[in-house]
Amino acid sequence: MAEITTFSSSGADAITRTIDLQEDAPTNLSPEELEETFDIARTAEEIEKGDYKRIALQFPDELLPHSVPIFRALKSRIAESRELYVLADTSYGSCCVDEVAAQHVDADALVHYGHACMSQTSRLPVIYVLGKKPIDPVHCADSFVHTLRAASDSSQKSTVLLRYDVAYAHRADDIISELKSRLPSTRVLYTPVPLVAYPSSESKRTAQSLREPSNAGGASSNADSPRDDASPEDAVILYIGEESLTLTNLLLTHASYEVFSYDSKMRTTRLESGRTNKLLMRRYAVVQKARDADVIGILVGTLGVANYLPLIAHLRDIIKKAHKKSYTISVGKPNPAKLANFLEIECFVLVACPENSLLDSKEFLRPIITPYELEVALQPTQSWTGRYVLDFDQLLREHQDGLDNAQPQEGGEHEEEDLDQPVFSLTTGKYRHAKRYGGATDTAPNGDADSSAVILRNQEGALSKMDDSAAAQFLQSRSFRGLETRIGQDPPSLLEQGRSGIARGYADDHRDDTPA
């Protein structure tokens, strides 16, 4: 029988396993290639211009072999009084800015290398070095135009929304020029990727909108929502990049658009929109499981993305209003073994950057959903139009708009909700009685309090009451509840002499060995 390692593994497994690098990192670079690939001159210029004293250099796993040459190249170009620190093994995803690790060295700026999700930071200014993947703009434009014209429904579109992996940002202008030459009557809209980003507290965030290529010189936030005049009926999306979470998120958040993807390695263009329905159906099934959950864990997957704290507070509020119980948990990078320790939690909602929000929960014991999916799951009526939101700001803004536009109840009264009413589960096909938490705290006339309260008797026989404790209820259902002293119930055992020595070799380890 094969050893089951889903929830537990030996220590040797961490040493012997092979790490699969997701990116093809450049190897054996000459000093000139190193300068060009990692923008050494631009990075040093930004450091001097910002007058940063302590700078953290964050590398993903695949670029760590280049960290020392990059460190030396930067050190030779900046003032000696400035200190550089190399960060590795990020707290969460390598695409996010690890502000927590940077604060450990008291950094006042951070240089992020490799693929980035471009999420708005909350504390530190960031200099992005995105890398430069090779691509042929001429072949990209030819392949896309050929595939676009082959799709009869898409050939008459008047707008192309360009999206790309950030590693292709250095060739964005060339790609747009080739597209414009082949589609002269078509608008090509895109959002330039900023190479320097400042925390939201230091910069005034303007409305995110797509810009015409003529305005591409300015840096702006990487918006995901098209402009109002770029409707799904009149526009298509071209994504440049390999199969990745970025493409998956694009398909989910733009389900009403036709999406084409160009793979620079395979040199092929294909229509991706056929996958959208399958992705949405899979997420809808997870939402139905979340509707049946009474205890929800808020899984903190980022400490650097702006507005993550207001979003956590918002999630706690809507969970409480739904009479469910929430626990806030921070475990770093989530894996099945970590989350399996919280058996009382029936569903997790992951607060992370858009690229790390969608986890394949097949290996996990409990379903993992996004904040927007939680909002859908907690709605009184089961309805979902297929719309999908991953941006923190947009979720909070729409919630605030809903509160501002809410109509007050006539007479200042609202209908009482029947907490004992059974709920129909689409997962099991049966009615179920949901557990209710956060109910009225006033004691009933007969002296009984809320039904979710648990009465515990400790070892000394004293009674204690725990209101709304899902963990205490789960503990009461377990047969093993931890070690008990059992004073006076077991006879005392005889004293025995223990081992002496150190773990490397106890005194009695080799007592039976005979000399050769």
Side-chain angles (χ1 to χ4, degrees):
M1 181 176 179
E3 183 182 359
I4 299 176
T5 60
T6 302
F7 300 120
S8 64
S9 60
S10 63
D13 186 32
I15 301 176
T16 59
R17 72 169 180 261
T18 302
I19 298 177
D20 295 330
L21 299 180
Q22 298 180 354
E23 298 289 338
D24 295 331
T27 57
N28 301 325
L29 295 178
S30 64
E32 294 77 13
E33 292 173 333
L34 187 77
E35 292 261 351
E36 174 66 20
T37 303
F38 296 105
D39 290 340
I40 301 298
R42 179 181 65 85
T43 305
E45 181 183 354
E46 293 290 348
I47 292 174
E48 292 291 343
K49 184 168 63 175
D51 194 24
Y52 303 125
K53 303 300 182 183
R54 302 168 68 89
I55 303 97
L57 309 179
Q58 179 181 334
F59 292 90
D61 294 339
E62 62 270 14
L63 294 181
L64 272 179
H66 301 287
S67 59
V68 174
I70 292 174
F71 177 92
R72 292 173 177 170
L74 285 176
K75 196 67 176 177
S76 64
R77 288 175 174 264
I78 61 177
E80 294 184 0
S81 59
R82 309 189 193 280
E83 299 181 8
L84 301 177
Y85 300 87
V86 175
L87 304 182
D89 190 20
T90 55
S91 303
Y92 298 100
S94 59
C95 66
C96 296
V97 175
D98 195 354
E99 293 185 324
V100 175
Q103 284 184 320
H104 290 168
V105 296
D106 196 22
D108 51 9
L110 185 143
V111 182
H112 185 282
Y113 290 89
H115 179 71
C117 59
M118 309 305 294
S119 299
Q120 179 70 34
T121 58
S122 58
R123 302 180 186 90
L124 293 177
V126 183
I127 303 170
Y128 288 104
V129 180
L130 304 172
K132 298 178 180 179
K133 290 185 178 180
I135 186 174
D136 184 357
V138 175
H139 184 272
C140 174
D142 290 338
S143 178
F144 169 68
V145 172
H146 175 74
T147 308
L148 180 67
R149 289 173 176 169
S152 58
D153 296 338
S154 304
S155 57
Q156 303 301 323
K157 306 288 185 176
S158 63
T159 304
V160 174
L161 307 177
L162 182 60
R163 296 288 188 272
Y164 46 83
D165 186 288
V166 292
Y168 298 105
H170 66 291
R171 301 302 300 272
D173 292 338
D174 297 333
I175 296 172
I176 290 172
S177 299
E178 297 296 336
L179 289 174
K180 294 290 288 184
S181 65
R182 288 158 179 78
L183 300 171
S185 60
T186 302
R187 293 187 307 164
V188 180
L189 303 178
Y190 87 117
T191 303
V193 175
L195 297 180
V196 180
Y198 299 94
S200 56
S201 58
E202 295 181 8
S203 60
K204 296 180 180 180
R205 305 191 62 188
T206 58
Q208 297 180 350
S209 61
L210 290 173
R211 297 174 181 263
E212 293 285 353
S214 59
N215 297 330
S220 63
S221 299
N222 192 12
D224 281 336
S225 298
R227 229 167 33 184
D228 293 339
D229 58 349
S231 62
E233 295 79 12
D234 196 41
V236 296
I237 297 177
L238 170 60
Y239 174 79
I240 300 174
E242 297 80 21
E243 181 73 26
S244 62
L245 288 174
T246 306
L247 178 58
T248 302
N249 294 345
L250 182 66
L251 293 174
L252 288 174
T253 54
H254 299 80
S256 56
Y257 286 80
E258 287 188 325
V259 180
F260 295 84
S261 69
Y262 175 77
D263 190 335
S264 63
K265 292 182 179 179
M266 305 300 296
R267 296 173 67 86
T268 56
T269 301
R270 64 179 181 178
L271 179 63
E272 299 282 355
S273 301
R275 301 170 43 208
T276 306
N277 289 337
K278 294 182 180 179
L279 292 172
L280 288 175
M281 286 190 293
R282 189 180 304 168
R283 300 311 303 177
Y284 185 75
V286 177
V287 169
Q288 295 308 315
K289 294 180 181 179
R291 288 183 66 90
D292 296 343
D294 299 318
V295 183
I296 300 173
I298 301 175
L299 198 60
V300 181
T302 179
L303 295 177
V305 179
N307 289 328
Y308 80 95
L309 285 176
L311 181 62
I312 291 176
H314 167 62
L315 295 178
R316 290 173 179 167
D317 183 57
I318 62 176
I319 292 173
K320 182 178 180 181
K321 289 180 179 178
H323 301 286
K324 298 179 183 289
K325 185 68 175 178
S326 67
Y327 289 97
T328 304
I329 304 168
S330 178
V331 293
K333 297 177 182 178
N335 59 49
K338 290 179 181 178
L339 301 189
N341 292 316
F342 306 97
L343 292 178
E344 65 272 22
I345 294 178
E346 301 170 356
C347 175
F348 292 94
V349 52
L350 179 59
V351 178
C353 75
E355 295 203 7
N356 290 326
S357 294
L358 295 176
L359 289 183
D360 188 4
S361 57
K362 292 181 180 179
E363 299 179 356
F364 291 85
L365 185 64
R366 305 297 190 198
I368 302 176
I369 61 176
T370 64
Y372 179 74
E373 290 172 342
L374 178 65
E375 290 188 345
V376 174
L378 296 182
Q379 290 177 358
T381 58
Q382 301 185 19
S383 62
W384 190 14
T385 61
R387 182 173 177 268
Y388 210 86
V389 179
L390 291 173
D391 183 64
F392 290 1
D393 290 343
Q394 188 174 352
L395 282 174
L396 295 173
R397 185 169 57 253
E398 290 180 357
H399 172 68
Q400 186 61 41
D401 293 342
L403 294 179
D404 296 339
N405 299 329
Q407 298 294 333
Q409 296 286 342
E410 295 183 3
E413 298 180 358
H414 61 277
E415 185 179 353
E416 284 285 340
E417 181 183 1
D418 186 6
L419 299 182
D420 295 329
Q421 182 179 2
V423 180
F424 183 76
S425 170
L426 289 179
T427 304
T428 61
K430 301 177 181 179
Y431 281 94
R432 70 181 189 92
H433 285 278
K435 299 177 183 178
R436 303 294 184 177
Y437 299 92
T441 56
D442 296 335
T443 304
N446 58 1
D448 296 333
D450 186 75
S451 60
S452 61
V454 179
I455 305 298
L456 299 178
R457 185 186 297 273
N458 61 14
Q459 307 254 342
E460 288 75 23
L463 293 176
S464 61
K465 172 181 161 184
M466 302 184 68
D467 293 323
D468 285 341
S469 177
Q473 290 185 12
F474 181 77
L475 180 64
Q476 291 300 303
S477 65
R478 292 174 62 105
S479 59
F480 177 73
R481 303 175 186 171
L483 299 178
E484 299 179 358
T485 55
R486 298 175 58 87
I487 298 177
Q489 300 183 36
D490 298 320
S493 60
L494 297 177
L495 294 178
E496 298 180 0
Q497 184 176 359
R499 283 180 166 184
S500 60
I502 60 176
R504 182 168 174 266
Y506 290 106
D508 58 346
D509 278 351
H510 308 288
R511 61 176 60 179
D512 296 332
D513 293 349
T514 56

